[in-house]
Amino acid sequence: MLYKMIMRTTIVIQEDLTKKIKSHIQQKKLSQFIDLCIREHYELENKKKQREALAAAYHQASKEEDPDNNFDLIDIEDWPE
């Protein structure tokens, strides 16, 4: 059986942002809205970290010599023309 962990907390939101939020959602939905915003934020941060790691890996791989592309090592003397 799975249980969802729920944490009640108090947050402080600036008045201008509170007005914007209230104009778009009902009071009952405030917790769901905040939960969604936090989830989306962490997903974006995770994707950003993944992109940075991938870019670093590509950069590192481009610095390494690829033996398949080193044609100087191929002996072509005995190959038929």
Side-chain angles (χ1 to χ4, degrees), residues 1 3 18 22 32 36 43 55 60 65-66 69 79:
M1 188 174 217
Y3 295 97
T18 303
K22 286 183 179 180
Q32 294 170 349
L36 178 64
E43 286 175 11
Q60 182 62 33
E65 186 176 331
D66 185 2
N69 289 333
W79 287 28

Side-chain angles (χ1 to χ4, degrees), residues 17-61:
L17 187 55
T18 303
K19 288 178 184 178
K20 290 177 184 179
I21 293 169
K22 286 183 179 180
S23 70
H24 292 295
I25 63 167
Q26 299 171 353
Q27 183 62 30
K28 293 180 187 177
K29 308 276 185 182
L30 181 60
S31 292
Q32 294 170 349
F33 177 77
I34 292 171
D35 186 72
L36 178 64
C37 289
I38 292 170
R39 288 180 190 277
E40 287 179 358
H41 173 77
Y42 277 107
E43 286 175 11
L44 287 173
E45 288 296 314
N46 189 35
K47 286 180 182 179
K48 180 180 174 184
K49 288 178 185 177
Q50 288 176 344
R51 280 193 308 268
E52 289 171 354
L54 185 60
Y58 279 132
H59 183 69
Q60 182 62 33

